[in-house]
Amino acid sequence: MNKKGPLYFGIIVVIALIGGVLWLNNDVNQKQQESVGGIVSKNFVEMSDDNPTFDEWGKNFPDYLDMYLTVEKEKPFETDFGGNLAYSKLIRYPQLTVLWAGYPFSIDANEERGHFWIQVDQMDTARNNKDFLNAHGFAGFGGQPTACMNCHSGWTPWLLKNVAKDDWVAFNSTKYWTMIKNIPAVNGYKEGSVEHSGPHGGKRMGVTCADCHTPNNMSLRLTRPAAINALVARGYERDAEQGVKATREEMRTLVCSQCHVEYYFKPTGEKVKVMGESIANDTSKKWWNGTQKTYDEFDTWRDGNKPTEIEVAGIELVFPWSEWKKGEPFRIEMFDEYYEKVRKVFDKDWAHKISGAPMLKIQHPESELYSGGVHAANGVSCADCHMPYIRKGAKKMTQHNITSPLADINSACKTCHNQSEDYLKAQIKDIQNSTAHNLRTAEYAIVSLITDIKTMRDALGALESYQSEGKADVKKINEELNEVLELHRKAQMRADFIGAENSTGFHNPRESSRMLLQAVDMARMGQTKLVEIANANGIADFKTSNLGFEDMQKLNPGEIRYKVELNGHKEGERYYKHDNVNGSPSNALIEGDKNLKPYNHQVVDKQ
């Protein structure tokens, strides 16, 4: 027997053991890295607020970056009440053109496409195009302020610090198109290049990692002053690093509350120095109506246009939350109370073009509605449902393609619920169908009220007692209709709240129903008041309206098109360059809406 055999065998075993230990150590190390999003040490970059782009931070977290960017290339899809196909909401819900009459949303309002697209869509929308709006019935529109960038651009904190020099009011008061010109070129891009104007770290970049995470340890933080100020007003304590003092579980909701909220631009009552543009001094540059251009609706300094200093009326982005105290569920009456208290400073978002009522436009109040729902009561955060934990091999990760929980019921819902996916989807659908029915009922009732207010305005204007110098006296008529106009304001605020809130009632079905019942009650009460006014003024032939689905379809505005030749665009040309934006929803959605109001249970309940 060869005496060296056992020795060789022993050496082989030792080598195998060493190899196994090294492999195991590498595997454990790799899985540890993967468990926090795929950090690769040799490619680690120092994350900083000086470069907040997701392309840069994503070098350390490639798997999260891949998830976030999924929406960029996926085929747009629609759900019953959402999805990411940017069809025109005005085509699907034509009543909105009347509800928002006199406000830019009555021209352009599309279904949202998600966090990656929000700055792209904000820059493209007609609501951010002064020349277009002025040429299409909004002669008084002065252009959007930088305040609109707070929720749309991951560059907001950088711009606030480096361009506005931490002057919060000056930042908000600067023109949108002026501020966006100052976004720096990073990631190897050249100033003014296609990449610099693009969504990957350029001027069209939407939400990014840095908006919610600190660069040194990736803990959650608030980066938007408006959110921090509003939370302090509710009773939270400021915190230098994470914005306010809150638990990690609270922060998993509060980071979303930086943007998914109602807000308004509060006038400060003072002048403030901000960045302007030298184009205002170039007499060859004119708006469509021949008046002097004050800024360039373009994202880059060009043709000799340079930054200047100008003085403008100051505004501040504010969340109306001071009546909503910490630990309380939100109630719509809190907005009534808040906006009444600030009415001398901020009376309205706009005067309704038809009724004349001082209106409030509600944005996307998910945080407010959710706060009183059953999920919030049980400690469930926004991230638990919209960013659920998923597995990718050995990795436990949060889903960063932030979308509807319907896209992954198993991860989003079944962590807590043991019912089948089909059962849970049916429950959600039933809640949303019920809310949509109530919302359409409220909207149709309010449009009926608006129609009747117009009829009454015309009737009163024909009476000598409501005239001055032979013409209808708007002030006298408004005084007579004051109670009705207030009912219009409050009823529409409630309907608009649920319409703008992106869950179609699911975040809090009971509060949604209560708001919409109030809206219908107020609208019908307004019509009753109009009958009383008609009787008091001897108007014998006044009758109230009761408009429905078919009446609303007659208001369909179609896709946005140029009505005049403007900036190289021909009359009749489609406003949006991309066919998948501002188009029509599917016939199935329109048919579904038709069956919801009135509620055709034989069809709706079988879907």
Side-chain angles (χ1 to χ4, degrees), residues 173-325:
S173 307
T174 305
K175 287 298 183 185
Y176 179 99
W177 287 105
T178 302
M179 184 58 71
I180 206 167
K181 292 176 172 64
N182 298 283
I183 290 175
V186 295
N187 301 343
Y189 301 153
K190 292 183 179 180
E191 189 78 28
S193 65
V194 173
E195 293 80 9
H196 186 207
S197 289
H200 286 270
K203 294 170 182 177
R204 283 170 167 76
M205 182 182 74
V207 172
T208 185
C209 319
D211 291 325
C212 303
H213 294 281
T214 55
N216 59 336
N217 59 17
M218 294 303 286
S219 61
L220 295 175
R221 65 172 176 175
L222 304 180
T223 56
R224 300 303 195 263
I228 296 169
N229 294 341
L231 289 166
V232 170
R234 289 188 59 199
Y236 285 81
E237 184 180 348
R238 290 184 188 273
D239 182 83
E241 181 167 308
Q242 67 178 40
V244 297
K245 293 186 183 299
T247 66
R248 181 176 180 277
E249 193 61 26
E250 286 179 297
M251 291 297 290
R252 283 165 60 82
T253 286
L254 293 182
V255 291
C256 304
S257 296
Q258 296 185 98
C259 294
H260 290 268
V261 296
E262 156 64 352
Y263 63 86
Y264 74 108
F265 302 153
K266 183 178 181 179
T268 64
E270 298 178 350
K271 294 290 186 178
V272 58
K273 291 181 179 180
V274 302
M275 181 180 292
E277 301 185 26
S278 64
I279 195 173
N281 302 316
D282 184 346
T283 56
S284 69
K285 304 295 184 182
K286 305 291 184 182
W287 295 117
W288 75 278
N289 59 1
T291 59
Q292 176 64 48
K293 264 197 172 180
T294 50
Y295 62 91
D296 188 11
E297 290 185 312
F298 197 72
D299 64 7
T300 299
W301 300 104
R302 61 178 181 174
D303 300 333
N305 188 27
K306 298 178 181 179
T308 62
E309 185 177 80
I310 60 175
E311 194 171 65
V312 299
I315 61 171
E316 180 184 8
L317 175 66
V318 174
F319 301 173
W321 284 2
S322 60
E323 303 303 308
W324 175 29
K325 303 305 180 185

Side-chain angles (χ1 to χ4, degrees), residues 333-346:
E333 289 80 5
M334 295 173 180
F335 277 178
D336 289 334
E337 294 162 5
Y338 178 91
Y339 280 117
E340 198 58 39
K341 286 184 177 180
V342 300
R343 199 152 183 173
K344 290 183 179 179
V345 176
F346 180 81

Side-chain angles (χ1 to χ4, degrees), residues 472-513:
D473 189 316
V474 174
K475 183 178 180 181
K476 289 181 180 179
I477 294 173
N478 283 347
E479 289 174 353
E480 179 70 2
L481 296 177
N482 180 64
E483 190 174 355
V484 177
L485 300 183
E486 287 299 301
L487 286 167
H488 176 201
R489 171 185 167 103
K490 289 186 176 181
Q492 187 164 321
M493 183 181 76
R494 284 155 170 77
D496 206 22
F497 186 107
I498 301 303
E501 203 276 336
N502 282 303
S503 74
T504 316
F506 181 78
H507 286 152
N508 191 340
R510 289 177 297 180
E511 183 67 4
S512 298
S513 296

Side-chain angles (χ1 to χ4, degrees), residues 428-455:
I428 296 168
K429 188 177 182 66
D430 186 59
I431 290 171
Q432 293 187 320
N433 280 342
S434 178
T435 302
H437 165 80
N438 293 342
L439 179 55
R440 301 290 89 81
T441 302
E443 289 173 341
Y444 297 173
I446 297 167
V447 172
S448 298
L449 172 62
I450 293 169
T451 301
D452 294 347
I453 291 174
K454 183 181 185 305
T455 301

Side-chain angles (χ1 to χ4, degrees), residues 345-358:
V345 176
F346 180 81
D347 179 43
K348 58 185 177 296
D349 280 307
W350 91 103
H352 197 276
K353 185 177 180 179
I354 301 172
S355 77

Side-chain angles (χ1 to χ4, degrees), residues 19-29:
V21 170
L22 291 174
W23 174 86
L24 180 61
N25 180 68
N26 181 69
D27 185 61
V28 170
N29 184 55

Side-chain angles (χ1 to χ4, degrees), residues 313-552:
I315 61 171
E316 180 184 8
L317 175 66
V318 174
F319 301 173
W321 284 2
S322 60
E323 303 303 308
W324 175 29
K325 303 305 180 185
K326 182 180 179 181
E328 293 182 356
F330 172 81
R331 294 287 181 261
I332 192 63
E333 289 80 5
M334 295 173 180
F335 277 178
D336 289 334
E337 294 162 5
Y338 178 91
Y339 280 117
E340 198 58 39
K341 286 184 177 180
V342 300
R343 199 152 183 173
K344 290 183 179 179
V345 176
F346 180 81
D347 179 43
K348 58 185 177 296
D349 280 307
W350 91 103
H352 197 276
K353 185 177 180 179
I354 301 172
S355 77
M359 303 302 294
L360 296 169
K361 175 68 184 77
I362 303 299
Q363 271 66 226
H364 22 66
E366 285 81 45
S367 295
E368 291 92 333
L369 186 65
Y370 174 79
S371 69
V374 65
H375 288 90
N378 283 278
V380 180
S381 71
C382 300
D384 288 324
C385 302
H386 292 275
M387 302 177 69
Y389 287 112
I390 60 173
R391 283 282 179 185
K392 186 176 180 181
K395 312 164 194 174
K396 179 183 179 183
M397 306 168 64
T398 50
Q399 174 59 268
H400 273 59
N401 179 15
I402 306 165
T403 185
S404 167
L406 286 169
D408 188 357
I409 290 283
N410 187 58
S411 297
C413 305
K414 288 180 67 64
T415 301
C416 299
H417 298 277
N418 57 16
Q419 296 93 338
S420 69
E421 287 195 28
D422 287 343
Y423 175 87
L424 293 171
K425 286 182 179 179
Q427 288 289 94
I428 296 168
K429 188 177 182 66
D430 186 59
I431 290 171
Q432 293 187 320
N433 280 342
S434 178
T435 302
H437 165 80
N438 293 342
L439 179 55
R440 301 290 89 81
T441 302
E443 289 173 341
Y444 297 173
I446 297 167
V447 172
S448 298
L449 172 62
I450 293 169
T451 301
D452 294 347
I453 291 174
K454 183 181 185 305
T455 301
M456 181 56 64
R457 279 190 169 281
D458 293 341
L460 291 174
L463 300 177
E464 187 176 345
S465 56
Y466 291 95
Q467 294 178 349
S468 294
E469 299 179 356
K471 296 181 180 179
D473 189 316
V474 174
K475 183 178 180 181
K476 289 181 180 179
I477 294 173
N478 283 347
E479 289 174 353
E480 179 70 2
L481 296 177
N482 180 64
E483 190 174 355
V484 177
L485 300 183
E486 287 299 301
L487 286 167
H488 176 201
R489 171 185 167 103
K490 289 186 176 181
Q492 187 164 321
M493 183 181 76
R494 284 155 170 77
D496 206 22
F497 186 107
I498 301 303
E501 203 276 336
N502 282 303
S503 74
T504 316
F506 181 78
H507 286 152
N508 191 340
R510 289 177 297 180
E511 183 67 4
S512 298
S513 296
R514 192 180 73 85
M515 280 190 212
L516 294 173
L517 181 60
Q518 285 185 342
V520 174
D521 189 35
M522 289 172 174
R524 296 310 186 192
M525 191 184 302
Q527 289 180 296
T528 300
K529 294 292 181 183
L530 287 175
V531 172
E532 294 175 1
I533 292 171
N535 292 335
N537 288 276
I539 303 172
D541 57 348
F542 178 78
K543 293 181 180 179
T544 57
S545 306
N546 187 24
L547 304 176
F549 178 82
E550 296 300 335
D551 298 296
M552 302 306 148

